């Protein structure tokens, strides 16, 4: 499926059938996790597959997920970040999203699950051989069929004219500005990227030959970096469709735009 369609259609699935993914497919997924770790290559994070999701679910019920609403998946992949560097968290999230694309292509559905408020003691008890820190899981499996009378959940998205700045005075790019740069489609679909609590904290500064990624100030550093990694992944994948084949350069500085403080997380040459 084209990345554009994929992004528009992708939705978090929070109710799964209580059917396991077959053993061969789980083994293939495990191989793919190793492939992703090798592709990234730094060893700064690892993915841990929990084939039996029940034990994890029972342990995290009431404490994992938004306000303790744990998502019950038949299986989970934990994102274990081995150190607290920004790039480890950003890249971990980037590759988690790449994993989601693969799982989706295999007919599987997913939901990110935040477990950052679970105590260290509980984490050590629940996660096998914990060496780094786990603040995010991915629940995956086959979605429960929807009740046709139930309203389809809908997560709002920012308008195309709301999140791309042309300069630090706060002037926003219009559709025509984006069209002139050939970036209208890219930003149109990028808005569908998931984010923690659907906060959509990303903003972009469109410079002459590069795009700068800014994140709204947040009291949760890790959450902002994870959301940054997710959007960086989709930017790269959507960029490929319009001939941009460059990688993000991760940086860490601050920028005030129209009196509001942002953190610069990365830039990408167009
Ligand atoms: C880093 C991250 C953490 C998330 N944590 C949770 C969570 O703990 N519980 C949950 O129900 N959804 C979680 N989500 C899903 C988001 O709420 C969801 O992606 C967002 O609301 C947009 O909805 P959509 O994915 O259906 O488009 C998380 C998403 C991200 C990217």
């Amino acid at each position: 499926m084209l990345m554009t369609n994929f992004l528009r259609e992708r939705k978090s699935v929070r109710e799964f059938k209580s059917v396991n993914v077959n053993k061969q497919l789980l083994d293939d997924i495990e191989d793919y996790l190793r492939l992703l770790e090798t592709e990234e290559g730094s060893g700064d994070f690892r993915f841990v597959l929990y084939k039996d999701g029940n034990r994890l679910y029972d342990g995290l019920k009431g404490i994992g997920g938004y306000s303790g609403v744990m998502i019950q998946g038949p299986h989970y992949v934990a994102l274990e970040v081995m150190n607290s560097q920004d790039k480890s968290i950003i890249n971990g999230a980037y590759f988690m999203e790449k994993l989601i694309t693969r799982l989706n292509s295999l007919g599987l559905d997913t939901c990110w699950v935040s477990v950052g408020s679970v105590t260290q003691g509980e984490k050590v008890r629940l996660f096998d051989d914990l060496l780094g820190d786990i603040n995010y899981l991915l629940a995956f499996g086959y979605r429960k069929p929807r009740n046709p009378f139930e309203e389809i959940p809908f997560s709002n998205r920012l308008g195309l004219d709301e999140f791309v700045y042309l300069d630090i005075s706060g002037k926003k790019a219009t559709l025509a500005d984006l069209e002139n740069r050939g970036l209208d489609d890219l930003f149109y679909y990028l808005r569908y990227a998931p984010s923690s609590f659907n906060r959509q904290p990303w903003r972009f500064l469109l410079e002459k030959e590069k795009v700068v990624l800014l994140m709204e100030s947040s009291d949760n550093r890790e959450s902002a970096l994870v959301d940054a990694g997710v959007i960086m992944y989709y930017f790269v994948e959507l960029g490929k469709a319009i001939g941009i084949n460059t990688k993000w350069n991760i940086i860490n500085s601050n920028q005030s735009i129209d009196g509001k403080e942002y953190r610069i997380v990365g830039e990408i040459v167009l």
Side-chain angles (χ1 to χ4, degrees), residues 7 10 15 36 39 52 60 75 124 133 157 181 268:
L7 251 181
R10 81 168 289 297
E15 289 197 54
L36 290 177
E39 182 187 335
D52 172 13
L60 289 168
H75 316 287
V124 170
D133 198 9
R157 290 302 196 266
R181 301 284 302 264
I268 192 164

Side-chain angles (χ1 to χ4, degrees), residues 200-253:
Q200 306 166 71
W202 7 262
R203 297 293 178 271
F204 296 88
L205 180 61
L206 197 50
E207 296 191 348
K208 205 159 176 242
E209 272 156 16
K210 65 181 183 193
V211 172
V212 178
L213 172 59
L214 312 148
M215 302 300 286
E216 280 185 341
S217 302
S218 149
D219 45 10
N220 186 335
R221 165 183 168 265
E222 180 148 5
S223 162
L225 294 173
V226 167
D227 287 340
V230 169
I231 200 90
M232 283 173 166
Y233 167 73
Y234 285 118
F235 194 106
V236 167
E237 292 305 312
L238 289 167
K240 286 178 189 166
I242 54 168
I244 301 172
N245 281 305
T246 48
K247 282 189 176 171
W248 284 96
N249 180 20
I250 294 175
I251 38 187
N252 179 9
S253 62

Side-chain angles (χ1 to χ4, degrees), residues 77-202:
V77 172
L79 170 59
E80 183 174 1
V81 182
M82 309 313 281
N83 56 57
S84 58
Q85 288 178 47
D86 290 357
K87 76 174 178 58
S88 313
I89 301 167
I90 292 172
N91 288 334
Y94 186 106
F95 279 86
M96 185 71 122
E97 209 55 48
K98 184 162 183 169
L99 169 66
I100 292 174
T101 310
R102 165 61 70 105
L103 293 177
N104 239 265
S105 74
L106 295 170
L108 294 162
D109 288 292
T110 63
C111 188
W112 280 84
V113 186
S114 314
V115 292
S117 48
V118 175
T119 63
Q120 189 59 20
E122 286 291 348
K123 286 183 188 174
V124 170
R125 195 174 63 76
L126 285 166
F127 298 122
D128 309 326
D129 310 320
L130 187 66
L131 296 175
D133 198 9
I134 295 179
N135 288 321
Y136 295 94
L137 306 175
L138 188 74
F140 72 92
Y142 298 102
R143 74 163 71 202
K144 258 194 190 163
R146 276 207 196 95
N147 172 346
F149 299 105
E150 203 184 311
E151 222 175 283
I152 297 176
F154 171 75
S155 305
N156 259 322
R157 290 302 196 266
L158 290 169
L160 190 51
D161 53 355
E162 288 181 285
F163 65 103
V164 185
Y165 291 110
L166 288 178
D167 58 43
I168 58 169
S169 74
K171 187 174 175 216
K172 302 243 177 60
T174 61
L175 177 60
D177 293 322
L178 296 176
E179 275 171 357
N180 285 340
R181 301 284 302 264
L183 294 170
D184 47 326
D185 277 352
L186 186 147
F187 281 111
Y188 177 83
Y189 290 106
L190 203 56
R191 302 174 303 144
Y192 292 98
S195 57
S196 186
F197 289 101
N198 199 29
R199 279 198 199 106
Q200 306 166 71
W202 7 262

